Amino acid sequence: MNRSIWAWLRLLGGAGILALVLWRLGTGAFLDGIRVLDGGALLAALAIGAATTVLSAWRWCLVARGLGMRLTLKDATADYYQALFLNAALPGGILGDVGRAVRHGRDEGDLGRGVRAVVLERTAGQLVLLGVGAAVLLSVPSPVLDLLTSHGPQVAAAAASVASAGVLILLGLRALRNRGSAKARTGLAEIRAGLLSRRSGPGVLLASAAVLAGHLATFLVAAYAAGTSASLLELAPLLLLALIAMGLPVNIGGWGPREGVMAWAFGAAGLTAAQGLTIAVAYGILAFVAALPGAAILTVRMVARRAATRRPRTVAPAMATTSVVVPAPAMGRQQIVVPAPAMAPPPIVVPLPLPVRQPAYSGSVAA
């Protein structure tokens, strides 16, 4: 019951943000995000999406193998494309990831470990995004930096609260490990093996940074298609802020917070809120186009699964048991009937040799 309420709240929150933005800016800026895209922009989104999807699948392979699970890059890429399409097409934005986690876990015979591998893989990407975003937002001039500067004491208090919460979490994890909690030890061991080991850590970091660069490149394609005159240095903090907002658990397939944050950020930067909304909508369309190969993969798999269920099963022919027919002695002959297997020629009758009747002798001897 609580889960269903939370799911509805997420959808209503995303819908409410979109409704508020459209009420303030009108539908013109929203529709412009569709009109400004041409074939070149769509092809660029497909190419960038292919690169980021393969890199994300490679990151998933590294984490899964670190946890002792088998996963090939080919299977991971197909599952990741399908997950991206379902995330973009269905409300919530995470149903595709849930599906690939469950599928991989069942294939490997360990559902829990399959789910944890996907959680760690997605967490790695979010941590890199937050780290890069914080570094850029705190160093590059932007409306966010101006806001932080004008509210210095409040920002310092919030930062201290977050740091204190992090320290408490670390202390709690260490206490659980010292008490010998099996689940805590397993969780920490999987984090080290999947994200922090020498075998997987550098690759996970590299893949996450490259995927983030791909998302920013897609945003730049949308921005220049919308006709913005801002430089890359001006756009970088605004686009990173929008990517961070997309991770908020209040959206409809990724829509909602992104549009609201882009409208506010571009308006605060003097680039007009309408242009920010147009770029956000254009990015949403490009991201959906980049995930369309996942629809083809999903269709092929559904057709193959349906054909497999309709294929008739071959049943081996039943073999008949061997029976012996023994007529009465008066008939003078015995027969053994050996029937052949089902759907074979008629039974073969093999007659036995006739019994030899011995003559009766009298008690006297002939001369």
Side-chain angles (χ1 to χ4, degrees), residues 18 33 134 151 227 341:
L18 282 176
H151 297 79

Side-chain angles (χ1 to χ4, degrees), residues 52 55 205-215:
T52 56
L55 289 168
L205 180 61
L206 177 62
S208 299
V211 169
L212 176 57
H215 293 328

Side-chain angles (χ1 to χ4, degrees), residues 253-277:
W255 296 76
R258 176 183 63 219
E259 286 68 30
V261 167
M262 286 288 286
W264 170 81
F266 270 69
L271 300 172
T272 74
Q275 188 178 57
L277 176 58

